[in-house]
Amino acid sequence: MTHWDVHHLPRADGKTFLVTGGNAGIGYFVAEQLAGSGATVLLGSRNATKAETAMASIRSRVPDARLGHLRLDLSDLSSLESSVDSLEIERLDAVVCNAGVLLEDQPRRETAEGLELTFATNHLGHFVLAHQLMPLLEAAEAGRVVTTGSFVGKSAELDLDDLQSERDYQPKRTYARSKLAQMLFAFELDRRLRAAGSTVLSVVDHPGGALDSLTPARPVHPAPGGRKFPAGLLLQGKEAGAWPAVRAVLDPAVRGGEMFGPRVFGLRGEPRREPVRGKLADTALAARLWAASVGLTGIGVTR
């Protein structure tokens, strides 16, 4: 395989990518970098004003960027079908399932549909979105579902009897569980796509340790403050945290069921393929989570 250079990406002219949560954080930098490849990049965001600010920021760095906004509220599962129906495209080459919430120091909250907010937004919203997008992904030559997991998700323990965190809600633990669920879903999705003979691939990425204080300034991200040392020796900013997702979208050598993360201890550096092991390779756990997700949402994903 040729060396992957994060600063010299392959061209993707004529392709269309959707980045959920593309208006801020790591999702913004994924969108900015993908825009530099010549693709059309759609920013999935609930807030049109924030999406416009993000698109203006991207255009200031990529003057010929082809951008659009898709109103997307992953916490409102019933709205996702109409959001996808509003897309005026014939195919979608990749969706980056990046958006997520971490409700630190807040009590447990539920969506209008009665689902715990973090799990519903991070996992179930993307579960439903992938189902709604599948016809557009299958219309592409080789569509990709790229799911952004988390380093903390690798060490989480998923309680299939309490996916809604009703018994003992702890915000950070609930977040970690939702990210583990996303990664398990992505690997199970690829197994099901392969079994169905689909051309769509499902790939996982994670950003390692991506800190605001190490992130370059953008209009959607204020200039970082505070000391960067010694965190900069082990961690990185969100611009670099976007690299694994961008590689998962653009690298022609990527295969379904693979995972990409930062090179150095999985925390920082250029993106590389990582082994899939432990809980992430537990096919029985993933199948049980899939069945539970179908039960909570009422839909499957592959058609």
Side-chain angles (χ1 to χ4, degrees), residues 8 11 88 111 116 142 193 197 219 251 256 271:
H8 295 89
R11 298 295 298 177
E88 296 180 349
T111 68
E116 190 280 316
L193 290 168
D251 189 345

Side-chain angles (χ1 to χ4, degrees), residues 77 115 124-125 127-128 290 292-300:
L77 305 187
L115 300 167
L124 294 177
F127 184 86
V128 173
W290 186 284
S293 301
V294 170
L296 289 168
T297 63
I299 67 164

Side-chain angles (χ1 to χ4, degrees), residues 19 45 118 197 214 298:
V19 181
S45 170
T118 301
L214 299 172

Side-chain angles (χ1 to χ4, degrees), residues 25-73:
I26 291 169
Y28 166 82
F29 287 100
V30 172
E32 182 183 279
Q33 291 167 32
L34 290 177
S37 73
T40 296
V41 182
L42 306 175
L43 280 62
S45 170
R46 289 177 298 179
N47 189 308
T49 301
K50 290 182 179 179
E52 289 293 338
T53 300
M55 289 190 287
S57 177
I58 292 172
R59 289 191 179 101
S60 73
R61 305 184 70 83
V62 186
D64 59 349
R66 299 171 61 87
L67 303 168
H69 169 231
L70 174 66
R71 189 188 179 284
L72 197 63
D73 184 353

Side-chain angles (χ1 to χ4, degrees), residues 18-20 74 95-100 122 126-127 129-130 133 145-149 179 182 185 205:
L18 169 63
V19 181
T20 71
L74 290 162
V95 55
V96 181
C97 298
N98 159 85
N122 298 359
H126 285 117
F127 184 86
L129 181 66
L133 290 173
V145 179
V146 176
T147 298
T148 299
K179 299 308 286 185
Q182 278 191 269
F185 154 68
D205 76 277

